[in-house]
């Protein structure tokens, strides 16, 4: 992605313990928000599949 679509904000959700925050911020131009969740990647994915994790964004 070269830039976010007009009128849109790009948000990223990272699992707990992810060390990619600096890499993601540098690799995604126009990144508005980087949210860190409380769960590690595997547990976060499982909770999303069950619909038990609340969303962090507004969309």
């Amino acid at each position: 992605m070269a830039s976010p679509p007009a009128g849109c904000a790009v948000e990223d959700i990272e699992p707990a313990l992810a060390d990619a925050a600096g890499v993601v911020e540098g690799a995604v131009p126009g990144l508005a928000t980087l949210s860190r969740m409380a769960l590690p990647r595997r547990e976060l994915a499982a909770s999303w599949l069950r619909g038990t994790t609340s969303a962090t964004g507004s969309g």
Side-chain angles (χ1 to χ4, degrees):
M1 175 173 73
S3 64
C8 295
V10 177
E11 298 185 13
D12 180 44
I13 300 172
E14 293 287 329
L17 307 176
D19 291 330
V23 174
V24 171
E25 289 174 338
V28 181
L31 185 63
T33 306
L34 180 63
S35 300
R36 176 99 39 194
M37 301 301 287
L39 297 172
R41 184 194 59 81
R42 185 174 295 145
E43 290 81 355
L44 182 60
S47 66
W48 277 339
L49 287 173
R50 283 181 260 143
T52 57
T53 298
S54 61
T56 61
S58 60

